[in-house]
Amino acid sequence: MSDKVTQQQLLPHLFREEYTKMTAVLYRHFGLKHIEIAEDIVSETFLKATETWSIQGIPKNPAAWLYIVAKNKAKDYLKRHTLFETQVKDAINTDELQFESDFDFTQQAIDDSQLAMIFAVCNPSNSIASQICLALQILCGFSVEAIASAFLTKAETIKKRLLRARKNLRQDNFQIKFLSEEAIQSRLDVVLKTLYLLFNEGYFSTSNDHLIRQDLCSEAIRLMLVLIESPSTNTPTVNALMALMCFQSSRLEARANNNGEIILYEQQDKNQWSQELIEKGNHYLIHAFSGAVYWQTKYHLEAAIAYWHTTPTNNDKWEHILQLYNQLILIEYSPITALNRTFAFAKVYGNEQALKEAEKLQLNHISHYHALLGYLYADTDLKKSIAHYSRAISLTKSALEKKTLGKEIERLNKKQH
């Protein structure tokens, strides 16, 4: 394989693996007011790699080469501003942007910097949607176009959202050089909510035709690992959310066919479930219950529900799931939780009893509500089942979900004839 082909494959991989680590260290050095400086330095580093490697070939240790170049560029930048301080002193706070003889790119420095930036990005002054966009751009290295694609939004809209969010970030007095215990406690709930919603955007993805966005799920798990690996944030609640993500991710491959169409839980090939991720989920779930009262957080309950979904067939499985949903709905009601509880109710008490529960919800404006009613009526009233599936199709914005529901209608129509 030629160097050129290897470079074309290697640089995107290195960008995804190293970009956010490099920027995190530089963000922490330059401060939130000057985050663009860090991004420019790292971008210039990758540009130089593209130019240099195409002529001289790929170095023996490409990642180390990138860190050395980034370090040198950062030091050169600070030297220039030290020399011309009198010309730029109005634009730069010299107490905040100080020259250092070296930059620390050790693994510990990278881990500490990434942790600090996660807490900085999850700024309560920004909306949750803006926090997720910032997380994708700053913490995950996603382009504006990629973020717009994930949210099925115009790139210009995302640009404006990011500009406003970055302005709030620069104006924030949050300290990222020394992440205090007080700062962690004040923002941990916001951080977990942001990462939870980021994962859900990938796992359920109501805003994109690609219902399963594995890249978003992977990034959420990667950021959760940063929390898990830090003693200051390795709490039972963090472990509960990590367990949930592992259990849910274990079924990603089985949730869609080759055309990207959703495969319902009961029809999934269990051989495609990742046993490695299930075992990791079990590991984190054990730590989540260490000294924790599980009903105190929704993450514990949702992780326990996800655990039962990944276990082999068990006569009491759905009874356990229903009990957990009964507790979850008391902690934090949501229409989706109510619908999922009703599905579990049907598994325990039958479709006829579940229909009575479902009709109490009166969620007529939600596609998933009519999809559930379509499922519950399928064995007893084909006409009603088809009518609800049709209503679900009219309410969903997802082309793939429309296709999946349409196939159910086709199946039921064949049973009528």
Side-chain angles (χ1 to χ4, degrees):
M1 186 180 291
S2 68
D3 280 348
K4 186 175 181 180
V5 174
T6 306
Q7 181 184 325
Q8 289 173 348
Q9 295 174 336
L10 181 61
L11 272 173
H13 170 75
L14 285 172
F15 185 86
R16 178 52 65 92
E17 290 292 316
E18 308 298 339
Y19 177 86
T20 56
K21 296 176 184 177
M22 294 163 71
T23 51
V25 172
L26 296 181
Y27 287 145
R28 202 171 180 208
H29 177 86
F30 287 109
L32 292 176
K33 285 191 170 84
H34 308 287
I35 59 176
E36 285 81 6
I37 296 172
E39 292 167 338
D40 288 345
I41 288 171
V42 178
S43 296
E44 288 172 10
T45 297
F46 276 92
L47 179 61
K48 185 171 182 178
T50 303
E51 296 169 347
T52 305
W53 295 0
S54 62
I55 298 170
Q56 299 178 5
I58 297 171
K60 288 183 179 179
N61 191 334
W65 187 98
L66 289 169
Y67 281 102
I68 290 169
V69 171
K71 184 185 294 188
N72 289 336
K73 282 185 174 293
K75 288 163 71 174
D76 289 344
Y77 177 89
L78 289 174
K79 284 178 182 176
R80 288 198 305 272
H81 281 77
T82 300
L83 289 171
F84 299 105
E85 182 183 340
T86 55
Q87 297 177 32
V88 295
K89 63 181 180 181
D90 292 334
I92 290 184
N93 182 343
T94 53
D95 291 333
E96 186 179 286
L97 191 61
Q98 296 179 352
F99 173 75
E100 290 184 7
S101 59
D102 204 358
F103 283 81
D104 186 0
F105 280 106
T106 61
Q107 190 58 51
Q108 186 61 53
I110 290 171
D111 292 343
D112 291 345
S113 299
Q114 286 190 302
L115 180 67
M117 283 309 300
I118 290 172
F119 278 82
V121 163
C122 296
N123 181 355
S125 66
N126 283 321
S127 68
I128 284 293
S130 294
Q131 288 179 45
I132 293 174
C133 286
L134 270 182
L136 287 172
Q137 186 184 56
I138 292 178
L139 303 176
C140 306
F142 279 42
S143 67
V144 170
E145 289 73 19
I147 299 170
S149 175
F151 288 97
L152 204 64
T153 306
K154 292 180 180 178
E156 194 59 37
T157 302
I158 295 297
K159 281 181 183 177
K160 291 177 181 177
R161 185 180 296 174
L162 285 168
L163 282 172
R164 289 193 296 269
R166 279 173 170 267
K167 181 180 178 181
N168 289 336
L169 205 62
R170 284 192 293 270
Q171 293 174 346
D172 194 9
N173 291 320
F174 190 77
Q175 293 297 312
I176 57 175
K177 288 191 178 182
F178 305 102
L179 190 60
S180 67
E181 183 67 27
E182 182 183 356
I184 289 171
Q185 293 305 316
S186 67
R187 287 198 180 183
L188 184 56
D189 287 346
V190 178
V191 167
L192 294 181
K193 184 175 183 179
T194 301
L195 297 184
Y196 173 80
L197 293 174
L198 173 58
F199 181 87
N200 283 350
E201 181 59 37
Y203 193 75
F204 299 108
S205 198
T206 55
S207 61
N208 194 289
D209 279 345
H210 299 287
L211 290 180
I212 301 170
R213 296 294 301 268
Q214 293 195 31
D215 50 352
L216 300 186
C217 293
S218 297
E219 287 300 320
I221 289 176
R222 183 182 67 79
L223 295 173
M224 283 298 300
L225 273 173
V226 176
L227 301 182
I228 290 285
E229 290 170 359
S230 172
S232 60
T233 51
N234 188 9
T235 68
T237 304
V238 171
N239 277 271
L241 181 52
M242 186 62 162
L244 171 61
M245 290 185 183
C246 287
F247 286 135
Q248 297 286 58
S249 295
S250 72
R251 296 190 287 115
L252 277 173
E253 293 294 334
R255 287 186 72 228
N257 60 23
N258 293 332
N259 297 322
E261 297 165 0
I262 289 298
I263 299 174
L264 300 177
Y265 172 78
E266 294 173 319
Q267 299 166 354
Q268 290 172 12
D269 179 1
K270 293 178 176 58
N271 293 322
Q272 288 189 304
W273 292 1
S274 169
Q275 290 304 312
E276 181 183 357
L277 281 170
I278 290 172
E279 288 171 10
K280 285 183 178 180
N282 290 333
H283 167 80
Y284 292 119
L285 193 62
I286 290 169
H287 285 278
F289 283 93
S290 299
V293 181
Y294 71 88
W295 57 79
Q296 285 184 346
T297 78
K298 70 171 187 174
Y299 304 123
H300 286 85
L301 289 167
E302 289 193 27
I305 290 168
Y307 160 79
W308 281 109
H309 276 90
T310 58
T311 56
T313 303
N314 182 300
N315 292 334
D316 299 326
K317 175 177 181 172
W318 288 103
E319 282 88 344
H320 289 299
I321 292 174
L322 179 58
Q323 289 173 13
L324 290 164
Y325 270 124
N326 287 340
Q327 295 174 52
L328 178 61
I329 210 163
L330 292 174
I331 287 179
E332 185 175 296
Y333 176 86
S334 75
I336 294 300
T337 300
L339 292 172
N340 288 338
R341 178 196 170 275
T342 306
F343 180 82
F345 190 94
K347 290 295 183 184
V348 176
Y349 297 109
N351 289 9
E352 188 175 343
Q353 291 299 314
L355 278 166
K356 295 176 183 177
E357 289 289 304
E359 287 166 357
K360 293 176 187 175
L361 300 176
Q362 291 296 306
L363 299 171
N364 292 302
H365 60 293
I366 296 177
S367 170
H368 291 134
Y369 174 67
H370 291 282
L372 175 62
L373 289 175
Y375 168 82
L376 295 175
Y377 274 118
D379 293 331
T380 56
D381 193 327
L382 291 178
K383 191 174 290 186
K384 281 189 176 181
S385 178
I386 291 170
H388 281 293
Y389 276 131
S390 299
R391 179 62 177 151
I393 288 173
S394 70
L395 289 171
T396 184
K397 295 179 180 178
S398 167
L400 286 176
E401 194 170 347
K402 288 178 188 288
K403 192 172 182 180
T404 302
L405 294 168
K407 285 192 172 183
E408 280 299 300
I409 292 176
E410 287 177 18
R411 184 181 67 82
L412 294 174
N413 278 325
K414 288 177 182 178
K415 287 179 69 175
Q416 280 186 318
H417 298 95

